[in-house]
Amino acid sequence: MSTLRFRSIFISDVHLGTPDCKSGYLLDFLRSTHSEFLYLVGDIIDLEALARRPYWHPEHSAVLGELLRKAGDGTRVIFIPGNHDAPLRGLAGQSVGGIVVRLDALHVGADGRRYRVSHGDEYDPEDYGKRWLYSVGEAARRFICWTNRALNRLRRRLRLPYLPLPIIAKSHIGKALEYIRRYEHSAAARAAAEGLDGHICGHIHYGGIRMIDGVLYCNDGDWVEHCTALVEDAAGVLELLHWSEHRTALAQASADTVLPSPVAALAFASLARGVRPL
């Protein structure tokens, strides 16, 4: 397959150092794409998980190597640490292996639109979000992730495409969806207050593109559940791509038109629409 060329790529919530990281899909995506800008929007390495339980797959080293290679080859790589790699925020303003570390960034699109870029944990409503999170329970979350790994191992043997089970579950929990909507509106309100056209973030593992009160909200998803990246083409059009055995455009936004990602159907998009084999 020929290399896909973009002006900008945004990825977050990779969680290297955990067994749930879909490093194989991400490595394939990185090796199949080229961009002028590459934003690493937080939680690239899960330092919290590594502190609890040391885990490191060889593919995780390969992902880091690919990021460093891109930086060395001229791609402008900007790393914005998230809450799971927060200790690296102390490196803000420095360059590590050609990768610039920032606390946040202002991205100007090819069409002139201006976006705030941040991991997004600053919009986590502590007084509300934690309640639904703990009501579901950490044990339940881990069980769903374990089931997702087992299910997709079986699907690979049957030559079936990846199915993000955690996203399907999240899409059917009312409290989770309410929390997500509050988060999205908080991010959009911050961009509006700063006079920007939109906000690009990650954090909640729920990718999407939506227009909220005149502001474009873009979440690039994750590489634990969604396997998604946000990409920008030479004209400034933004697109949310799912990348596994098949690649699929989940949502798109130009200066004139926004085609948002569906809420409950997002997890099935790679199976139901626009599927193009890798």
Side-chain angles (χ1 to χ4, degrees):
M1 185 184 73
S2 59
T3 300
L4 298 177
R5 296 188 174 273
F6 301 104
R7 181 173 183 265
S8 308
I9 294 175
F10 305 80
I11 62 173
S12 74
D13 299 274
V14 177
H15 292 275
L16 296 171
T18 70
D20 292 311
C21 170
K22 304 299 184 294
S23 51
Y25 293 142
L26 176 57
L27 196 57
D28 183 63
F29 172 79
L30 293 173
R31 289 172 173 170
S32 301
T33 58
H34 174 79
S35 62
E36 180 181 348
F37 300 93
L38 173 58
Y39 289 87
L40 309 176
V41 195
D43 288 1
I44 304 303
I45 303 175
D46 197 326
L47 298 178
E48 287 187 2
L50 286 170
R52 292 193 305 266
R53 175 196 172 193
Y55 175 90
W56 195 263
H57 192 279
E59 285 180 348
H60 297 192
S61 296
V63 168
L64 293 180
E66 189 64 24
L67 295 175
L68 290 169
R69 185 194 65 78
K70 285 180 176 291
D73 286 348
T75 296
R76 295 180 61 184
V77 183
I78 301 98
F79 171 42
I80 301 171
N83 54 305
H84 283 266
D85 43 23
L88 300 179
R89 288 172 172 165
L91 298 175
Q94 300 184 45
S95 178
V96 181
I99 298 174
V100 177
V101 184
R102 300 282 304 275
L103 296 180
D104 55 29
L106 175 67
H107 177 73
V108 180
D111 56 6
R113 288 185 291 177
R114 299 162 69 240
Y115 304 91
R116 183 171 192 265
V117 185
S118 71
H119 178 62
D121 55 300
E122 66 269 33
Y123 305 120
D124 204 359
E126 293 288 336
D127 63 328
Y128 182 86
K130 298 298 183 183
R131 288 207 300 271
W132 78 258
L133 182 63
Y134 286 122
S135 66
V136 172
E138 180 65 11
R141 186 196 67 82
R142 291 181 180 178
F143 175 75
I144 291 173
C145 288
W146 177 86
T147 304
N148 186 55
R149 294 198 302 269
L151 171 66
N152 281 290
R153 279 197 298 268
L154 175 61
R155 291 180 66 85
R156 280 195 297 273
R157 293 193 192 103
L158 297 175
R159 297 187 177 182
L160 295 173
Y162 174 74
L163 184 67
L165 184 61
I167 299 301
I168 298 172
K170 193 180 296 184
S171 298
H172 288 81
I173 299 174
K175 286 291 185 181
L177 290 174
E178 188 177 347
Y179 160 72
I180 288 166
R181 290 294 171 252
R182 286 188 58 175
Y183 174 92
E184 293 173 342
H185 279 79
S186 294
R190 172 68 179 272
E194 295 182 357
L196 302 176
D197 299 293
H199 198 298
I200 298 171
C201 57
H203 183 53
I204 58 173
H205 295 206
Y206 205 82
I209 296 176
R210 297 178 62 214
M211 187 65 75
I212 302 175
D213 298 329
V215 172
L216 188 63
Y217 166 85
C218 301
N219 193 300
D220 57 28
D222 62 273
W223 291 87
V224 172
E225 302 167 18
H226 275 81
C227 301
T228 52
L230 184 73
V231 300
E232 178 198 13
D233 68 13
V237 177
L238 294 169
E239 194 169 50
L240 183 68
L241 296 183
H242 165 76
W243 194 280
S244 59
E245 288 80 8
H246 298 81
R247 72 176 186 265
T248 310
L250 301 179
Q252 188 182 87
S254 66
D256 303 317
T257 306
V258 177
L259 302 175
S261 50
V263 177
L266 180 59
F268 300 97
S270 62
L271 306 178
R273 50 181 286 219
V275 175
R276 293 170 292 180
L278 291 176

